[in-house]
Amino acid sequence: HKLAAMALSTWLSLHSQALEAGPEVFEAYAPVLLKAARSLRDASMFPLDFHQWPPEDAESFVQFRRELRDFLRELGAEKAPKAHAGSPKARQREAQPGLLLPLLVEEIHGDVIQRFNEDWRLLEEALHALSSLAKE
């Protein structure tokens, strides 16, 4: 998860830049952003030995999952957040559902159905991602 956490800000930046560049550029980058979301989601699955991790490593993992939640919410947003919008929650409140939202929901919904009778960690990851897209 540590490498994924380091890459997360780059993906957020690419998302913002693609939105600002216009619809044609954003559509070109949409598959890349969806693939990034999938990879980051994979990194957010709880490890089997999570309960044995030192507290600082466990907190780092939990923080990564919070940042991933914010990334997924921003991916589902139609417009780029304003520069002065402040916190991720403030940017999310301004955003409207966008082009990637139905694609994200469809992918995650499929994961929930597929993983229903599998390892709880796989299902939890999909449910975490799905709940991330819900507005406050």
Side-chain angles (χ1 to χ4, degrees):
H1 86 276
K2 290 181 181 182
L3 292 175
M6 288 190 295
L8 192 54
S9 63
T10 302
W11 290 116
L12 273 168
S13 178
L14 178 63
H15 176 250
S16 295
Q17 295 297 318
L19 279 172
E20 290 172 9
E24 292 164 357
V25 172
F26 184 76
E27 285 185 33
Y29 279 100
V32 174
L33 291 165
L34 288 170
K35 182 69 173 168
R38 169 89 258 167
S39 296
L40 293 167
R41 286 182 49 215
D42 290 345
S44 76
M45 186 175 71
F46 275 99
L48 284 173
D49 63 346
F50 181 74
H51 63 284
Q52 297 173 345
W53 284 17
E56 57 275 359
D57 290 345
E59 179 56 34
S60 170
F61 181 76
V62 170
Q63 181 61 31
F64 165 68
R65 285 174 55 102
R66 286 185 198 121
E67 291 171 3
L68 174 62
R69 176 198 62 207
D70 294 341
F71 174 67
L72 291 172
R73 286 181 180 169
E74 288 198 22
L75 274 187
E78 183 171 276
K79 58 186 176 185
K82 296 177 184 172
H84 64 280
S87 73
K89 288 185 181 184
R91 291 192 304 270
Q92 292 156 14
R93 282 191 289 272
E94 288 183 2
Q96 301 298 315
L99 174 70
L100 295 182
L101 184 61
L103 300 173
L104 286 167
V105 170
E106 180 181 340
E107 177 183 308
I108 297 168
H109 178 261
D111 288 346
V112 169
I113 291 171
Q114 178 183 4
R115 298 172 177 182
F116 194 75
N117 291 318
E118 294 181 8
D119 182 343
W120 71 268
R121 297 171 312 126
L122 295 169
L123 180 60
E124 189 280 335
E125 181 283 316
L127 291 172
H128 176 261
L130 188 60
S131 70
S132 295
L133 297 173
K135 293 280 184 183
E136 298 177 341

